[in-house]
Amino acid sequence: MDQPTAAAAHRSVPAAALLAALLTLATGCAPELGGSFGSPGGAGVRDPYFPRLGNGGYDVTHYALDLDVGPSAERLSGTAVITARATRDLSAFNLDLAGLDVQSVTVEGRPAAVNRAGTELTLRPARAVAAHLREGRTFRTVVRYSGSPLIVKDADGSEEGWLRTDDGAVALGEPTGSMAWFPGNHHPRDKAAYDVRITVPEGRTAVSNGEQVSRRTAAGRTTFHWRTREPMASYLATVAVGRYTVRRTTTGGGLPVVTAVEPSAARASAGALARIPEVLAWGEKRFGPYPFSSAGAIVGRPGDAGYALETQNRPFFPGPPDIDLLVHELAHQWFGDSVTPASWRDMWLNEGFATYAEWLWSEDHGGASAQEHFREAYADEANWAFPASDPPGPEDLSRPPVYGRGAMVVHRIRQVLDDDAAFFGIVRGWLSEHRHGNASTAEFTAYVEEKSGLDLTELWDTWLAGDGRPDMGPDGRGAAPR
Ligand code: TRP
Ligand code: ZN
């Protein structure tokens, strides 16, 4: 066939345009020739406490974060390569990011338009790229950003995000602080694998979750590469930069244990840290297999943060932990890190079980029994301020009912079953069913009822979700279930 002349090619345009218009009408999409494709993913996944946290329309599978940290850790410049799968056809999608300046964004290698409003970045890729963002397809977004990361103030006044320390910084993310140091889908429902590379001045150490892949020094700068293969919620991601002493050992079972300790805390934390393998072995006996490929701890100074956090693999402690706090944060590796709340309303599943783990540890090591802890918690007015499964607002998420009352709910289940083999079987079954996933309160109560064969409506209505303190009953164990 002859090559068409320019004039002929020109004449064919209206016909092609007509065809495209017809296609658009017929299929709702004409990706190459115009018309709209897909719909915006939207801001937020309707968390009851943080409606704009997380984003719809996609699921991140992997974050590659390349962070360059200046000498005082007050400035950060980063590249985030976010690999995600579209969960529907997308014309645009959002990332959460607080503070920091965005230099450039590409989606599938092409510049994308960016709109910024509060903590929402809306990315609108070029039309030809949007054609790739179909349900089920994986796409790659690259964000280059920099600036002085924010400290995020919680509703309850506590601080998270990028916390500066005397000689570095520590990133802590519960519940919404991780958006202060990398862009992403920051609702705990969207768990992903991570590769984090942190470049610091030579002489500083950078620690993160997972396992260290490499460490290279060139021209006075050291790059640490850490990898997390198991799914991780972003609030559990951390980076700690400082003059940490890093020690590597393994448990008797061969699990790598990496501790990073601020030298001023070395002496006072040595005893507790030496017990990590013992606590993990005890946890495995009670809760089933440890869910991750490494463990450890990061110990900073008391001024670094106002609380400890169960950062994945390697909880962070602002100063030497006592054994109860160590047990609490290591228990979170099962409860919270492996099985992660479906929404922040389900946080009692984290804190109730981590608190109950402290009671169990005490019971198993010659201290007060769980029953004694239960009675003490019952007597504490602070535990009854609101239902464990329904904190009134975000400022209440870390208040006593979520911890102490949550633990009482767990103990009530144990009392009602009156059979430790059955009780621990259900706990292990629950963990194994949702390993590396998310779970809600409704799923938990349904699971316990299904496995026990009991109708526990009364227990949930009074101990978990009711207002005020239920009757302890004549035997002092708690009122009998229906
Ligand atoms: N989850 C932490 C613990 O129990 C405590 C914590 C740290 C926290 N930051 C928070 C709880 C923010 C609620 C909100 O060890
Ligand atoms: Zn906790």
Side-chain angles (χ1 to χ4, degrees):
M1 213 173 136
D2 289 340
Q3 289 290 92
T5 63
H10 213 90
R11 271 197 306 276
S12 70
V13 168
L18 181 62
L19 181 63
L22 287 171
L23 269 172
T24 305
L25 284 173
T27 66
C29 68
E32 309 305 336
L33 291 163
S36 64
F37 174 79
S39 56
V45 295
R46 303 184 196 208
D47 188 277
Y49 298 92
F50 309 103
R52 295 172 77 79
L53 186 62
N55 304 287
Y58 66 96
D59 187 17
V60 177
T61 53
H62 184 261
Y63 290 95
L65 307 177
D66 209 325
L67 309 174
D68 199 308
V69 176
S72 63
E74 100 185 25
R75 264 191 72 80
L76 183 69
S77 77
T79 302
V81 180
I82 303 170
T83 306
R85 196 171 29 78
T87 53
R88 55 195 159 88
D89 296 348
L90 289 172
S91 60
F93 63 94
N94 281 22
L95 297 171
D96 303 314
L97 181 68
L100 298 169
D101 304 312
V102 173
Q103 269 82 55
S104 68
V105 177
T106 63
V107 179
E108 292 290 80
R110 304 258 306 257
V114 182
N115 182 65
R116 196 153 185 192
T119 58
E120 298 294 329
L121 281 183
T122 301
L123 314 191
R124 186 171 294 279
R127 196 175 285 154
V129 168
H132 292 278
L133 308 189
R134 288 172 185 272
E135 184 174 347
R137 294 267 297 259
T138 294
F139 62 97
R140 186 172 289 196
T141 303
V142 179
V143 182
R144 282 177 216 287
Y145 60 101
S146 65
S148 299
L150 289 178
I151 292 173
V152 176
K153 242 208 163 81
D154 261 358
D156 70 4
S158 61
E159 293 179 340
E160 74 224 30
W162 186 264
L163 306 177
R164 301 271 309 286
T165 65
D166 287 355
D167 52 11
V170 58
L172 299 176
E174 189 180 33
T176 67
S178 294
M179 64 173 79
W181 60 283
F182 66 98
N185 194 4
H186 286 295
H187 193 274
R189 274 178 116 98
D190 191 353
K191 298 166 77 165
Y194 286 69
D195 276 272
V196 181
R197 291 175 186 81
I198 314 120
T199 301
V200 297
E202 188 175 0
R204 301 298 160 85
T205 298
V207 185
S208 185
N209 314 88
E211 294 89 52
Q212 187 175 303
V213 176
S214 65
R215 168 191 156 156
R216 287 198 181 91
T217 299
R221 318 263 301 143
T222 305
T223 300
F224 295 82
H225 176 185
W226 291 83
R227 174 172 292 159
T228 300
R229 285 194 234 85
E230 293 102 0
M232 177 164 72
S234 73
Y235 79 94
L236 299 167
T238 190
V239 161
V241 176
R243 300 186 193 280
Y244 293 99
T245 304
V246 177
R247 286 223 154 76
R248 296 180 163 79
T249 56
T250 54
T251 64
L255 182 77
V257 177
V258 180
T259 58
V261 180
E262 151 59 29
S264 63
R267 192 192 278 272
S269 54
L273 298 184
R275 298 187 76 178
I276 290 174
E278 177 194 351
V279 175
L280 295 174
W282 170 83
E284 293 205 309
K285 199 169 54 115
R286 285 308 199 185
F287 310 133
Y290 177 75
F292 302 116
S293 46
S294 68
I298 303 170
V299 182
R301 303 176 187 86
D304 293 352
Y307 50 83
L309 186 64
E310 63 267 27
T311 41
Q312 192 155 306
N313 306 88
R314 209 151 284 120
F316 176 82
F317 301 93
D322 64 18
I323 186 70
D324 289 336
L325 187 59
L326 182 71
V327 167
H328 181 104
E329 304 304 340
L330 293 182
H332 270 310
Q333 302 301 309
W334 285 262
F335 302 102
D337 294 17
S338 171
V339 181
T340 304
S343 91
W344 284 110
R345 182 175 280 154
D346 306 307
M347 184 156 143
W348 78 274
L349 287 169
N350 286 9
E351 303 304 343
F353 271 105
T355 303
Y356 198 64
E358 295 177 61
W359 298 1
L360 279 174
W361 172 270
S362 159
E363 173 169 305
D364 286 349
H365 294 82
S369 66
Q371 176 66 25
E372 286 166 315
H373 284 284
F374 170 76
R375 290 186 61 94
E376 198 178 307
Y378 181 89
D380 186 349
E381 200 68 50
N383 283 325
W384 301 105
F386 54 80
S389 59
D390 197 14
E395 65 279 13
D396 301 307
L397 287 174
S398 51
R399 287 181 58 201
V402 176
Y403 289 70
R405 187 170 173 177
M408 281 188 267
V409 171
V410 177
H411 190 67
R412 282 296 295 142
I413 298 167
R414 187 177 174 198
Q415 288 179 335
V416 169
L417 291 175
D418 200 23
D419 173 350
D420 272 1
F423 170 73
F424 286 106
I426 287 174
V427 172
R428 283 191 288 268
W430 167 252
L431 290 166
S432 111
E433 179 147 316
H434 294 283
R435 184 177 164 95
H436 297 325
N438 294 85
S440 68
T441 300
E443 286 171 298
F444 177 73
T445 56
Y447 184 87
V448 175
E449 294 200 344
E450 184 203 322
K451 297 297 165 185
S452 67
L454 299 172
D455 176 357
L456 300 172
T457 308
E458 171 101 8
L459 195 168
W460 314 132
D461 285 356
T462 53
W463 293 85
L464 175 62
D467 286 318
R469 185 169 8 204
D471 191 358
M472 186 63 110
D475 62 356
R477 279 170 35 102
R482 202 197 302 280

